[in-house]
Amino acid sequence: MPGDTICILSPAGKIDPELIERAASVLTRWGLRPQISAYAADSHGRFASLRENRLHDFQNALLNPEVKAIFCSRGGYGAVQLLEDIAPEMIRNNPKWLVGYSDITLLHAAFSRSEIISLHAPMAKQLAEHPDDEISGLIKAVLFGGRPKYRVSSHELNRCGTASGRVVGGNLSVLSGLRGTPYDYSYDGAILFLEDIAEPLYKIDRMLYNLRLGGVFDRISGLVVGQFSDCPEDLSMEGTLYERIREMVKSYHFPVCFDFPCGHVDFNVPLPVGANATFEVTDKEAALCFLE
């Protein structure tokens, strides 16, 4: 809401400090009060800062009652190093928005486990470089209380049907790292969305088998397949990437939508993780509508 404090921090990879400052300026224009955490613009190897510093920033923002949203500056690798020291009750007792994607999938899963809705969405670079485009507008709309409704054109591999449930998911590689841990999503009745970047098809196939053999596809109510950027096709794998996914889930009956606009692309729509939604796939379109 206007006047709310939103903390920008860097729980994983390092970022150009200028992008943080420019993103903060956009948030100010929106009527929010951006607060840049102590180590957000720090640098330590590939990380934004030492683990203890990144954890300090995250815990401080989470426990500060004045902070209404945590805006991650970027993904990269490193959020997993914080999970053990972010107790579920710490999240549950301090509900607030968490904004980010890619490696931030780990934190979305932790928030979802604590039954707190978070926002899978672009981060500081998006706001800094495209402050007035449609995606930035959609992020603002959700932060100010809106619930998005998306309709996308039909894809030839889609499977028609209807579903409803909590929306969970994110980066497939990151999700795979959570499998078998207490930090993984609860998939019962959920609408699962997946995306990834720069992974060979055989590794994606392996990760999808992990979901299938682990019973995830037996429990979900719908599957939203997003963008798999810079993932080269491999004819030796007997089909395109999307065809491999369709083959992986052909024995199930939930609706499936391909080519949804989420992932490591410019048009990466914000998705409230943990929020309830309806999902309908027809011959003409696929609709994912979040409920108020």
Side-chain angles (χ1 to χ4, degrees):
M1 292 295 105
D4 283 350
T5 298
I6 182 168
C7 181
I8 304 176
L9 50 75
S10 303
K14 62 185 177 183
I15 185 173
D16 181 349
E18 182 185 350
L19 293 175
I20 295 178
E21 295 291 344
R22 288 164 62 189
S25 295
V26 175
L27 295 173
T28 299
R29 274 173 38 200
W30 290 358
L32 299 169
R33 298 173 57 196
Q35 176 188 94
I36 299 173
S37 68
Y39 300 100
D42 201 4
S43 175
H44 180 72
R46 69 180 300 139
F47 303 107
S49 190
L50 293 167
R51 174 192 176 275
E52 53 264 36
N53 294 339
R54 288 179 283 126
L55 178 63
H56 169 273
D57 278 358
F58 196 89
Q59 289 180 333
N60 271 13
L62 189 59
L63 296 175
N64 185 344
E66 293 186 1
V67 172
K68 304 304 180 184
I70 295 172
F71 195 93
C72 298
S73 72
R74 64 155 295 181
Y77 172 73
V80 68
Q81 299 174 334
L82 313 184
L83 280 183
E84 289 177 301
D85 291 299
I86 304 172
E89 58 270 18
M90 188 184 297
I91 299 171
R92 194 176 302 117
N93 295 337
N94 299 278
K96 58 194 65 184
W97 279 113
L98 167 77
V99 184
Y101 78 108
S102 192
D103 195 59
I104 309 305
T105 296
L106 294 153
L107 301 176
H108 287 307
F111 272 56
S112 179
R113 274 286 185 177
S114 298
E115 300 183 343
I116 301 299
I117 297 172
S118 56
L119 190 60
H120 183 277
M123 298 170 277
K125 186 176 181 181
Q126 163 67 30
L127 292 194
E129 297 181 348
H130 308 284
D132 300 312
D133 73 356
E134 184 177 355
I135 295 299
S136 293
L138 288 169
I139 295 170
K140 179 182 177 182
V142 176
L143 290 178
F144 280 71
R147 286 290 183 268
K149 293 177 169 54
Y150 301 118
R151 298 183 182 277
V152 298
S153 299
S154 180
H155 189 280
E156 61 182 0
L157 295 177
N158 282 3
R159 183 164 63 207
C160 296
T162 60
S164 62
R166 293 174 305 102
V167 172
V168 303
N171 183 268
L172 176 59
S173 298
V174 175
L175 284 178
S176 294
L178 289 177
R179 301 286 296 131
T181 75
Y183 304 96
D184 196 9
Y185 281 111
S186 172
Y187 293 100
D188 293 340
I191 300 167
L192 173 64
F193 72 95
L194 300 172
E195 62 85 22
D196 217 322
I197 184 170
E199 291 288 351
L201 184 49
Y202 78 90
K203 289 189 177 181
I204 293 171
D205 201 63
R206 177 190 294 153
M207 290 184 280
L208 291 169
Y209 264 111
N210 179 292
L211 298 180
R212 191 165 90 173
L213 296 174
V216 170
F217 294 147
D218 293 300
R219 304 203 298 276
I220 64 174
S221 64
L223 178 62
V224 177
V225 182
Q227 304 301 305
F228 282 71
S229 308
D230 300 325
C231 296
E233 298 292 356
D234 182 351
L235 297 180
S236 69
M237 287 295 294
E238 301 179 344
T240 65
L241 189 155
Y242 278 178
E243 287 170 343
R244 288 300 306 152
I245 296 176
R246 178 60 193 260
E247 178 70 18
M248 192 71 63
V249 299
K250 72 176 184 180
S251 61
Y252 303 90
H253 302 292
F254 48 75
V256 184
C257 161
F258 287 87
D259 206 27
F260 192 83
C262 70
H264 289 72
V265 290
D266 289 338
F267 200 76
N268 175 22
V269 300
L271 299 170
V273 178
N276 289 316
T278 60
F279 180 44
E280 182 177 14
V281 182
T282 68
D283 291 334
K284 295 183 178 180
E285 67 176 12
L288 181 65
C289 301
F290 288 87
L291 304 178
E292 297 295 337

